[in-house]
Amino acid sequence: MEHLQYEFGPFTPASGTANTLVGVVGSGNMEVLFEPRALGGMIRFVIDTSISGFDPTWRAVLEAFAERHRVGDLLVTINDAGATPSVVALRLAQAAEELRV
Protein backbone atom coordinates (compact mmCIF):
# COMPACT_ATOMS: atom_id res chain seq x y z
CA MET A 1 0.00 0.00 0.00
CA GLU A 2 1.34 3.43 -0.93
CA HIS A 3 0.15 6.66 0.71
CA LEU A 4 0.42 9.87 -1.34
CA GLN A 5 -0.56 13.45 -0.60
CA TYR A 6 -0.67 16.53 -2.85
CA GLU A 7 -1.90 20.07 -2.39
CA PHE A 8 -2.66 22.69 -5.06
CA GLY A 9 -3.97 26.24 -4.98
CA PRO A 10 -5.02 28.48 -3.45
CA PHE A 11 -8.33 28.67 -5.29
CA THR A 12 -11.84 29.96 -4.62
CA PRO A 13 -13.55 27.84 -1.93
CA ALA A 14 -15.94 25.08 -3.01
CA SER A 15 -19.57 26.16 -3.21
CA GLY A 16 -20.99 22.84 -1.96
CA THR A 17 -21.20 22.06 1.73
CA ALA A 18 -22.04 18.35 1.76
CA ASN A 19 -19.66 15.42 1.49
CA THR A 20 -19.71 13.60 -1.85
CA LEU A 21 -18.72 9.95 -2.40
CA VAL A 22 -18.46 8.27 -5.81
CA GLY A 23 -17.09 4.96 -7.01
CA VAL A 24 -16.40 1.70 -5.24
CA VAL A 25 -13.12 0.12 -4.24
CA GLY A 26 -12.65 -3.06 -6.19
CA SER A 27 -10.24 -4.64 -8.62
CA GLY A 28 -9.15 -1.94 -11.05
CA ASN A 29 -11.44 0.69 -9.55
CA MET A 30 -11.48 3.36 -6.87
CA GLU A 31 -13.62 5.57 -4.67
CA VAL A 32 -13.38 9.33 -4.22
CA LEU A 33 -14.64 11.32 -1.25
CA PHE A 34 -14.94 15.13 -1.48
CA GLU A 35 -15.18 16.93 1.87
CA PRO A 36 -15.38 20.71 2.15
CA ARG A 37 -12.74 21.76 4.72
CA ALA A 38 -11.05 24.98 5.79
CA LEU A 39 -7.70 24.53 4.01
CA GLY A 40 -6.77 28.14 3.29
CA GLY A 41 -8.10 27.88 -0.27
CA MET A 42 -6.10 24.76 -1.07
CA ILE A 43 -7.34 21.49 -2.54
CA ARG A 44 -5.68 18.55 -0.79
CA PHE A 45 -5.58 15.05 -2.25
CA VAL A 46 -4.88 12.08 0.03
CA ILE A 47 -4.44 8.79 -1.81
CA ASP A 48 -4.09 5.22 -0.58
CA THR A 49 -3.26 2.95 -3.50
CA SER A 50 -2.45 -0.72 -3.88
CA ILE A 51 -0.09 0.07 -6.77
CA SER A 52 3.21 1.75 -5.97
CA GLY A 53 5.59 3.69 -8.20
CA PHE A 54 3.12 5.97 -10.00
CA ASP A 55 3.73 9.22 -8.12
CA PRO A 56 4.39 11.30 -11.30
CA THR A 57 1.20 9.96 -12.93
CA TRP A 58 -0.93 10.70 -9.86
CA ARG A 59 0.53 14.20 -9.61
CA ALA A 60 -0.16 14.94 -13.29
CA VAL A 61 -3.78 13.73 -13.21
CA LEU A 62 -4.59 15.51 -9.93
CA GLU A 63 -2.85 18.74 -10.91
CA ALA A 64 -4.79 18.79 -14.19
CA PHE A 65 -8.05 18.34 -12.26
CA ALA A 66 -7.12 21.10 -9.78
CA GLU A 67 -6.23 23.54 -12.56
CA ARG A 68 -9.36 22.73 -14.56
CA HIS A 69 -11.79 23.15 -11.64
CA ARG A 70 -9.82 25.68 -9.52
CA VAL A 71 -11.76 24.91 -6.32
CA GLY A 72 -10.29 25.32 -2.86
CA ASP A 73 -11.08 24.37 0.72
CA LEU A 74 -11.63 20.80 -0.40
CA LEU A 75 -10.21 17.55 0.96
CA VAL A 76 -10.23 14.77 -1.63
CA THR A 77 -9.65 11.26 -0.28
CA ILE A 78 -8.99 8.52 -2.82
CA ASN A 79 -8.95 4.79 -2.09
CA ASP A 80 -7.50 3.09 -5.15
CA ALA A 81 -7.38 -0.55 -6.20
CA GLY A 82 -5.35 -0.08 -9.38
CA ALA A 83 -7.50 2.32 -11.41
CA THR A 84 -6.11 3.67 -14.67
CA PRO A 85 -5.57 7.43 -15.07
CA SER A 86 -8.74 7.67 -17.17
CA VAL A 87 -10.80 6.05 -14.38
CA VAL A 88 -9.21 8.45 -11.87
CA ALA A 89 -10.22 11.41 -14.06
CA LEU A 90 -13.74 9.97 -14.49
CA ARG A 91 -14.30 9.49 -10.73
CA LEU A 92 -12.99 13.00 -9.99
CA ALA A 93 -15.32 14.45 -12.64
CA GLN A 94 -18.26 12.52 -11.20
CA ALA A 95 -17.57 13.82 -7.69
CA ALA A 96 -17.09 17.38 -8.99
CA GLU A 97 -20.46 17.18 -10.75
CA GLU A 98 -22.12 15.99 -7.55
CA LEU A 99 -20.52 18.83 -5.59
CA ARG A 100 -20.98 21.21 -8.56
CA VAL A 101 -17.43 22.58 -8.45
Side-chain angles (χ1 to χ4, degrees):
M1 215 44 175
E2 187 166 14
H3 181 80
L4 305 169
Q5 188 166 319
Y6 308 95
E7 213 171 67
F8 304 102
F11 302 117
T12 303
S15 58
T17 58
N19 294 348
T20 300
L21 177 68
V22 297
V24 60
V25 178
S27 179
N29 213 325
M30 62 180 280
E31 69 180 2
V32 175
L33 174 62
F34 278 18
E35 299 174 272
R37 294 273 176 91
L39 296 171
M42 304 301 282
I43 183 171
R44 180 179 300 151
F45 295 91
V46 178
I47 302 102
D48 286 310
T49 179
S50 61
I51 310 296
S52 58
F54 286 88
D55 181 61
T57 303
W58 277 106
R59 178 176 293 281
V61 171
L62 300 176
E63 187 171 22
F65 174 84
E67 286 299 321
R68 183 172 40 261
H69 291 279
R70 303 189 62 78
V71 61
D73 288 347
L74 189 62
L75 173 62
V76 179
T77 304
I78 298 173
N79 295 308
D80 173 54
T84 63
S86 60
V87 171
V88 173
L90 172 67
R91 293 287 179 243
L92 289 170
Q94 287 173 323
E97 181 63 27
E98 290 291 320
L99 191 62
R100 291 193 174 97
V101 296

